[in-house]
Amino acid sequence: MKYTVITGASSGIGYEAALSFAERGKHLIIAARREDKLRELKEEIQTKNPDVEVIVKTADLSSSENVHRFYESLKEYQLETFINNAGFGNFDPIGEQNLEKIEEMLRLNIQALTILSTLFVREYGQVEGTQLINVSSGGGYAIVAEAVTYCATKFYVSAFTEGLAQELASKGMPMKAKVLAPAATETEFAQRAFDVEEFQYGSTVPQYHTAKEMAHFMLNLYDSDKVVGIVNPEKYEFQLIDPIYPYVTRTSK
C-alpha cells in the first residue's frame, strides 16, 4: 500500500488537497499541529471514500527536531507522493516585523521543507512514480510590498524545487519534483499573516481562488509533465510551465 503525505493538512489548500487525492483513491498520511482538525478531515474523507486509509500525524514542523522525528515516523509506510504544504506568511515592513514570528516562519517555510524534501529524495529518488510537490507562492516569483521576508522564503522554495527537478532529471532519477505557486487563495493564510481573527476575502481581495480550486490545480500539476504550476498574476489563470529560474550546470576545468 502506497501513501501520499500532506503537511499543513488541517485547513486551506492542504485540507482540500487531501480530499482531492482521496477521491483518486490515494491512501493518505495527513500532518499538522491541530489534531482535532485532522480528525475531522479523516472522518470526512472516510465518509466519502471508505476504502481510503488515512493516517493522522500531529506535528509542529517549525522545530527541526520535530521534523526529523516526523519523517522517522513515516518509515513504516511506503510513500508515493510527498506534498510540503505547511507554511505561513507575514505582512510587515522589515524594520517592524516580529522576529519571533519571522524565525518560526523561516524554520517552517524553508528549513522543514528542505529537510523533508532531502530525506524523501534520499529514500525514494530512484523509485518510479514518486513525486515531490512543494507549495510556494506567486510571492516566490514577485516581491510583494511589506511581505518581503515572506516572499524571500517562497523564492527559496521555488528556486530549491526547480533546481531539484532539474538535478533529478540530469541524473536520470525517476522521481519528479514540482512547485505549486498559488496567488491569493481563500484560506487561513491572511489571518496568520496579518495577525487578525477574521479576514473577509470577498470584500478585501479583488481576485482570489478558493482552496478547493487550488487543490484542483495541484492535481493538474500532479498529472502533468511540467515542473511549475503557477497562477498568472495578470489574467489570474493557472498555467503549467517549465522551470523559470535558470539552471547552470557545473563545468570542469
Side-chain angles (χ1 to χ4, degrees), residues 100-165:
E100 184 177 345
K101 180 182 179 183
I102 294 302
E103 288 169 6
E104 182 182 358
M105 183 176 72
L106 293 172
R107 291 193 299 269
L108 184 59
N109 292 13
I110 295 177
Q111 183 173 279
L113 179 138
T114 304
I115 293 170
L116 293 172
S117 297
T118 301
L119 292 172
F120 184 56
V121 171
R122 185 175 294 170
E123 188 172 4
Y124 289 94
Q126 295 288 2
V127 179
E128 194 70 43
T130 54
Q131 284 200 41
L132 170 70
I133 299 177
N134 287 334
V135 178
S136 179
S137 167
Y141 294 95
I143 301 173
V144 180
E146 298 196 348
V148 174
T149 307
Y150 166 69
C151 289
T153 69
K154 292 303 186 177
F155 266 75
Y156 175 88
V157 173
S158 297
F160 173 78
T161 312
E162 287 192 17
L164 172 58

Side-chain angles (χ1 to χ4, degrees), residues 56-73:
V56 169
K57 295 282 186 180
T58 306
D60 179 358
L61 299 178
S62 63
S63 158
S64 61
E65 182 179 345
N66 290 347
V67 174
H68 285 279
R69 186 182 297 117
F70 167 66
Y71 193 85
E72 189 64 29
S73 76

Side-chain angles (χ1 to χ4, degrees), residues 17-210:
L19 292 171
S20 295
F21 275 84
E23 287 177 5
R24 292 273 187 99
K26 300 293 186 182
H27 302 294
L28 298 170
I29 300 173
I30 52 175
R33 293 176 303 169
R34 296 178 293 182
E35 185 176 2
D36 58 333
K37 296 294 184 181
L38 293 176
R39 295 290 176 191
E40 288 176 17
L41 174 57
K42 177 177 180 176
E43 183 177 350
E44 183 174 355
I45 289 170
Q46 295 192 317
T47 298
K48 297 175 179 177
N49 307 277
D51 294 331
V52 170
E53 183 170 357
V54 182
I55 307 297
V56 169
K57 295 282 186 180
T58 306
D60 179 358
L61 299 178
S62 63
S63 158
S64 61
E65 182 179 345
N66 290 347
V67 174
H68 285 279
R69 186 182 297 117
F70 167 66
Y71 193 85
E72 189 64 29
S73 76
L74 305 178
K75 290 296 185 72
E76 62 182 291
Y77 307 101
Q78 185 177 358
L79 308 185
E80 181 179 44
T81 303
F82 205 111
I83 300 171
N84 279 308
N85 171 71
F88 67 89
N90 184 71
F91 282 87
D92 276 312
I94 290 176
E96 299 175 19
Q97 58 191 7
N98 179 332
L99 280 178
E100 184 177 345
K101 180 182 179 183
I102 294 302
E103 288 169 6
E104 182 182 358
M105 183 176 72
L106 293 172
R107 291 193 299 269
L108 184 59
N109 292 13
I110 295 177
Q111 183 173 279
L113 179 138
T114 304
I115 293 170
L116 293 172
S117 297
T118 301
L119 292 172
F120 184 56
V121 171
R122 185 175 294 170
E123 188 172 4
Y124 289 94
Q126 295 288 2
V127 179
E128 194 70 43
T130 54
Q131 284 200 41
L132 170 70
I133 299 177
N134 287 334
V135 178
S136 179
S137 167
Y141 294 95
I143 301 173
V144 180
E146 298 196 348
V148 174
T149 307
Y150 166 69
C151 289
T153 69
K154 292 303 186 177
F155 266 75
Y156 175 88
V157 173
S158 297
F160 173 78
T161 312
E162 287 192 17
L164 172 58
Q166 295 178 88
E167 180 177 282
L168 291 169
S170 70
K171 294 180 179 297
M173 299 172 72
M175 177 183 286
K176 304 298 181 186
K178 301 175 181 179
V179 56
L180 181 74
T185 307
E186 189 179 23
T187 65
E188 295 179 358
F189 173 86
Q191 291 158 259
R192 184 81 186 274
F194 290 107
D195 294 315
V196 295
E197 291 186 7
E198 292 186 10
F199 186 91
Q200 298 297 325
Y201 276 82
S203 59
T204 309
V205 182
Q207 286 184 302
Y208 63 91
H209 288 110
T210 65

